[in-house]
Amino acid sequence: MSRRQRLFGLVMILACLAGAAARAEVTRSSLRDVSLTIMALYNAGDGIGLYARLSEPLALRYSAATLTETLSECRERLGSLTRLSLPVASNATSGMFAAYFETGTRDMYLELDEQGLIRLVSFAGAEDNCSLVQPE
């Protein structure tokens, strides 16, 4: 099993667990809205904006400066994020999107908590991965 398949399996297991506890205010359209916000923040290199949207446990682990640096490193390797697909597989709190970068297409894994705050954002490709934030 490839690393990408293992990552996808882990994300989907986490998504199922998170989805079972999700409240009604987090919807598939919330997930899409957050994905578009992430695209704008990614392209702007806005670590402060990304930090403001993290779930509480992640906000304790990351700083805005760290996220700004991570965004910069990902942009250096992957280029700009030009567009995102609709969720390929999703529930109310997690989904997988096709992410179209200047350097090629990757999968974007996104997971939200019950309040619609970010728990996971990761881009995975055949050769190059970039995880912006992830739970322990």
Side-chain angles (χ1 to χ4, degrees):
M1 182 182 299
S2 72
R3 181 177 179 193
R4 183 176 177 186
Q5 290 170 322
R6 287 192 308 270
L7 177 62
F8 179 72
L10 176 61
V11 168
M12 289 296 106
I13 289 168
L14 291 172
C16 290
L17 293 173
R23 294 185 195 160
E25 68 263 12
V26 179
T27 65
R28 285 181 66 148
S29 63
S30 303
L31 193 67
R32 178 70 177 152
D33 293 344
V34 171
S35 73
L36 294 174
T37 299
I38 289 169
M39 184 171 83
L41 295 170
Y42 173 91
N43 286 326
D46 186 355
I48 295 170
L50 184 59
Y51 180 81
R53 289 161 177 80
L54 294 183
S55 65
E56 187 176 335
L58 285 181
L60 296 172
R61 289 186 43 224
Y62 291 93
S63 69
T66 300
L67 292 176
T68 300
E69 184 178 322
T70 303
L71 284 168
S72 177
E73 290 170 2
C74 289
R75 280 185 51 96
E76 196 172 296
R77 289 190 345 251
L78 307 178
S80 294
L81 179 54
T82 59
R83 70 183 174 100
L84 292 169
S85 71
L86 292 171
V88 176
S90 70
N91 62 32
T93 58
S94 64
M96 182 179 76
F97 302 78
Y100 299 90
F101 292 91
E102 291 175 320
T103 58
T105 305
R106 288 165 181 77
D107 294 330
M108 180 177 95
Y109 302 100
L110 173 62
E111 184 179 330
L112 306 178
D113 70 6
E114 297 81 23
Q115 289 77 40
L117 298 172
I118 297 169
R119 291 185 49 177
L120 169 75
V121 179
S122 184
F123 301 106
E127 305 264 333
D128 199 3
N129 298 317
C130 177
S131 184
L132 296 180
V133 294
Q134 61 185 353
E136 287 186 301

